[in-house]
Structures are given as structure tokens and as C-alpha cells.
Amino acid sequence: MLVFVLIGVHQNKLNDVLNKLRSLGNKYLNKVHLVYGEYDIIAELKALNPESSASILKNIRDTDGVIDLKTYVASDQLPEDDYRTLQPIEEYLSI
């Protein structure tokens, strides 16, 4: 299962949180993005099942410096070829 985690971080603890994410390794961590906005980090996680996902998320949530955490579980993933050929949104709307 693929889980997107939006993480709000105290700015003076950003490196601590990034180190915690790095410690998950490639087994659980796909990508990390630093972003501007309500959240500071978007992490893409891999989990075998909901139980392992909950354990990973608790580990992240308990990290010093994490002030907010929101998760989104992907319901499906388009193959790369499918989304590269998507038409502009205007093509689907009757404007």
C-alpha cells in the first residue's frame, strides 16, 4: 500500500525529522519532498498492510519536532503511460 504523509514541522527541528525519515530506509520510504504551504514535508511511504502503516506513522508522529501529520492512502495508481497521455482538463469538461 502507498501512503502519502503530509508533515508539519517546527523549523528548528526540520533536520531531525528528515533524519527520522531517512532512517526508515528504502524498504518503507519512496520519496521525500520539501514543500511550501500548510505542511513542510510530503513523504511517500510503502507499507505491507494497515498495521505496518500504523506503526510507521506512529514512529514519525512521535518524532520531536513534528507538530502536525496528515495521511492519504492511495486507492489506485495509474501506470506511467496512462497519466502521460491524459488530456487537459478542458477536454473532459463541457465548457
Side-chain angles (χ1 to χ4, degrees):
M1 70 188 300
L2 190 60
V3 182
F4 293 92
V5 185
L6 286 67
I7 308 168
V9 178
H10 284 290
Q11 289 307 300
N12 63 341
K13 297 289 187 173
L14 184 61
N15 283 331
D16 295 340
V17 176
L18 290 172
N19 286 334
K20 173 61 86 171
L21 292 171
R22 280 187 199 100
S23 76
L24 296 173
N26 291 338
K27 180 177 180 182
Y28 298 112
L29 185 64
N30 267 352
K31 296 178 184 174
V32 175
H33 304 275
L34 298 178
V35 296
Y36 296 111
E38 185 177 347
Y39 294 90
D40 305 294
I41 299 171
I42 299 176
E44 184 180 315
L45 303 178
K46 302 176 279 191
L48 298 174
N49 53 48
E51 293 78 20
S52 67
S53 172
S55 174
I56 296 165
L57 293 171
K58 181 180 179 344
N59 193 358
I60 295 170
R61 187 178 288 113
D62 291 345
T63 302
D64 186 32
V66 171
I67 54 176
D68 194 14
L69 188 136
K70 187 176 281 192
T71 61
Y72 293 91
V73 177
S75 61
D76 205 354
Q77 186 171 353
L78 295 175
E80 190 172 325
D81 290 343
D82 285 355
Y83 70 77
R84 289 190 183 275
T85 59
L86 288 176
Q87 301 299 317
I89 190 69
E90 293 82 14
E91 297 289 324
Y92 299 101
L93 301 175
S94 54
I95 298 177

